[in-house]
Amino acid sequence: MDIHGFAQINATHVVLIDGRHHCLRMLDRVTSHIVVLAGTCGTPGYSDGLIGTGKFHNPNSVVVDTRNSGQVLVTDSANNALRSVSISTGEVRTVIDSGFELPQGLLWAGDHLLVTNNVYISSVRWLDNGTVVNYIVAFSRPGDVYGTTDESKVRRSSNLVRLREKMFLVDDTGSRKLKLVDFNEGRVKPFCIYQEDDCTTNSSALPIPAIKAPMLKVGDETIYVALATSVYKLKGESSESGFPVECPDSGNATIYIIPGRRKLTFSLDNGLTIDLSEGHYTLPKDDGPLLCKEHFNVMKSPIVRRLSFKSVYEVRCNLLEYDSDTRIVLRNTLLHRRSQLLTACGEDCTMSNNMMPFSECTDGQLTVYWPTDVMFPIDVHQPPTELVNRLEQRIETIDSMINMEIFILYHSPPVIAAAKGPNNKAVQVTLYSACANNRKSYDVERDVCV
């Protein structure tokens, strides 16, 4: 399925344009079930009728008919026609098939419907006597010219969005520009992208692709424009305002993917989230009164910080390697404690299956780590405080873990309690750092992999 457009018809259902297969589909947002609504999927053509009889050829955009909420209107691009589809029966009818040239975008403007054609904008009106008319209201021939709506030109237009009363933003993808159509003044103007205090209409300021540039208006003054791998946010007080191309502090900041995951979940200013793979991105940033774009890189973290439980014991290190029995007893003791720590994890973590408990002994001090499956990227240096508090509270409810004793063969006494840490607890919740690349070694002092 290749979605060219969609229209929300009620709280639960969305009409989808499957342009590649020349038909319309219906999405149930509750069940995620998709069914064919209209047309003959996989077979282009031009005919009215029910599913399997009615045909489209490259349908492009869809809107709900404001005159009749029981149907949607569709631009049938290759057939140069405007079609209607009954939401209840899926029946396709031709509304008008004259005055179009590769029609694409649709937008209601009061009681008439604006349509972006290849090199002009037309207006479809329904007269009182039932006649439907379609006539050009802006542009007329291919080119890159500003001026009156009659004199101005676009090289190729595919989409438009309403800025305010009788004022619209149009994508001239052939000229790689956005243009402002002001029907109040009857003129087409440049759309300014502000760099500091200067207005520029240079295509490099906002890289409009040579293909369709989808635009979505949110609220009164904000428009999102999708351009290839970037989403731009346009906002301003005046009709020609854009946004600074670069944020004042914009650099190439790096955001790291959480180890063990393939993508980074990124939160947008509007509260939505998107999943980003490794790569370079440009996204809008709403910084108080300033609205701009920032660049950043998404990459895998070179250092893995794993949530771990840690205890420290005073013991002679040579005893730990006295014989194989000593090593076996210590390993079994640590595994027993691991099963108890799994209870302490609750819903916050599970003990790692990839890393078993391990220990390091230096200068009479044995440090034991019990790794979990929770990992953090390089830019996180301490586990979240709320997480630490929850884990510590659960540990305190397990009597056998208050002192976190371990058994060491040949030690006198063989049962050793853990030393109390800075928080007066025998078990510390910490992050254990290691290199993501196993061929590198982690330098604790410099916090780097070498």
Side-chain angles (χ1 to χ4, degrees):
M1 185 165 57
D2 186 8
I3 300 176
H4 284 192
F6 67 91
Q8 179 95 24
I9 60 172
N10 55 39
T12 58
H13 289 78
V14 178
V15 174
L16 306 175
I17 297 283
D18 187 350
R20 178 181 298 175
H21 296 98
H22 313 286
C23 61
L24 273 64
R25 302 179 190 268
M26 181 77 80
L27 165 66
D28 186 329
R29 294 175 58 196
V30 177
T31 64
S32 298
H33 188 54
I34 299 177
V35 297
V36 177
L37 171 64
T40 306
C41 291
T43 304
Y46 184 39
S47 60
D48 293 347
L50 298 173
I51 298 174
T53 302
K55 290 184 176 66
F56 299 92
H57 195 173
N58 292 337
N60 196 282
S61 295
V62 57
V63 294
V64 176
D65 190 344
T66 59
R67 304 168 307 106
N68 177 4
S69 60
Q71 68 179 16
V72 293
L73 300 174
V74 181
T75 49
D76 193 355
S77 295
N79 288 321
N80 291 323
L82 179 69
R83 317 290 293 280
S84 68
V85 174
S86 169
I87 295 173
S88 60
T89 66
E91 182 178 6
V92 179
R93 292 185 178 181
T94 300
V95 177
I96 184 171
D97 57 2
S98 62
F100 296 115
E101 181 184 329
L102 300 178
Q104 296 194 47
L106 290 172
L107 182 67
W108 283 104
D111 60 353
H112 61 284
L113 186 64
L114 295 179
V115 183
T116 55
N117 293 266
N118 191 30
V119 294
Y120 61 89
I121 299 175
S122 64
S123 174
V124 177
R125 292 178 180 268
W126 285 259
L127 304 182
D128 292 339
N129 62 5
T131 303
V132 182
V133 296
N134 181 34
Y135 55 93
I136 296 175
V137 292
F139 314 121
S140 58
R141 298 178 302 279
D144 182 16
V145 178
Y146 297 104
T148 66
T149 51
D150 294 332
E151 299 169 343
S152 57
K153 300 177 183 179
V154 290
R155 288 198 173 96
R156 183 172 55 254
S157 178
S158 62
N159 200 10
L160 77 164
V161 65
R162 179 182 180 274
L163 289 179
R164 53 176 58 87
E165 186 67 26
K166 296 184 178 180
M167 190 175 293
F168 303 88
L169 191 62
V170 178
D171 66 338
D172 183 355
T173 57
S175 302
R176 305 293 184 89
K177 296 177 181 178
L178 296 179
K179 294 183 176 180
L180 190 69
V181 181
D182 187 346
F183 287 115
N184 292 302
E185 299 181 7
R187 299 188 65 82
V188 177
K189 310 173 187 179
F191 182 77
C192 291
I193 306 299
Y194 282 99
Q195 295 175 296
E196 297 181 352
D197 295 326
D198 299 323
C199 168
T200 178
T201 58
N202 193 313
S203 60
S204 63
L206 191 66
I208 301 297
I211 57 176
K212 185 176 181 179
M215 295 185 286
L216 173 66
K217 185 179 180 184
V218 179
D220 293 332
E221 296 288 346
T222 301
I223 295 174
Y224 288 91
V225 184
L227 308 177
T229 60
S230 301
V231 178
Y232 287 74
K233 185 177 182 181
L234 311 183
K235 184 177 181 181
E237 297 301 324
S238 68
S239 62
E240 298 179 12
S241 294
F243 64 95
V245 170
E246 304 292 341
C247 295
D249 58 349
S250 180
N252 280 317
T254 299
I255 304 177
Y256 296 98
I257 299 173
I258 295 176
R261 300 184 185 179
R262 291 185 175 182
K263 296 184 178 181
L264 167 78
T265 300
F266 187 85
S267 297
L268 300 172
D269 289 336
N270 60 5
L272 300 177
T273 60
I274 55 176
D275 289 333
L276 304 177
S277 303
E278 284 188 276
H280 179 78
Y281 295 88
T282 301
L283 288 175
K285 178 181 179 182
D286 203 341
D287 188 13
L290 180 65
L291 192 57
C292 51
K293 70 175 183 180
E294 63 177 349
H295 306 281
F296 60 91
N297 299 304
V298 174
M299 63 180 294
K300 293 180 179 178
S301 177
I303 294 178
V304 178
R305 306 203 196 274
R306 187 182 290 270
L307 180 70
S308 302
F309 298 101
K310 168 187 168 184
S311 292
V312 178
Y313 303 87
E314 300 296 331
V315 62
R316 298 201 313 271
C317 294
N318 62 320
L319 284 179
L320 303 178
E321 298 295 330
Y322 186 80
D323 58 20
S324 60
D325 289 340
T326 304
R327 293 189 291 271
I328 292 172
V329 169
L330 177 59
R331 183 186 64 190
N332 290 339
T333 300
L334 300 186
L335 289 174
H336 174 68
R337 288 300 190 187
R338 177 182 181 272
S339 63
Q340 294 176 322
L341 287 167
L342 181 59
T343 302
C345 268
E347 298 180 353
D348 291 312
C349 58
T350 59
M351 303 309 293
S352 174
N353 289 320
N354 297 323
M355 290 183 67
M356 290 294 104
F358 62 94
S359 60
E360 303 167 349
C361 193
T362 306
D363 299 330
Q365 190 174 77
L366 173 67
T367 304
V368 180
Y369 292 92
W370 289 272
T372 74
D373 67 340
V374 177
M375 294 179 285
F376 298 91
I378 186 175
D379 50 353
V380 177
H381 297 277
Q382 298 292 335
T385 302
E386 292 184 359
L387 173 60
V388 172
N389 291 339
R390 289 197 301 270
L391 294 174
E392 288 182 344
Q393 288 172 5
R394 293 194 195 107
I395 291 173
E396 291 176 353
T397 65
I398 304 174
D399 292 338
S400 61
M401 297 180 66
I402 298 300
N403 294 316
M404 202 60 173
E405 297 97 342
I406 61 173
F407 188 91
I408 297 181
L409 202 62
Y410 307 124
H411 189 276
S412 181
V415 177
I416 307 173
K420 301 294 184 180
N423 56 358
N424 199 34
K425 297 181 184 298
V427 181
Q428 310 297 314
V429 180
T430 186
L431 297 182
Y432 179 81
S433 300
C435 297
N437 186 340
N438 294 330
R439 290 176 292 182
K440 293 188 176 183
S441 299
Y442 176 66
D443 187 326
V444 179
E445 297 297 328
R446 295 187 296 160
D447 191 31
V448 296
C449 289
V450 293

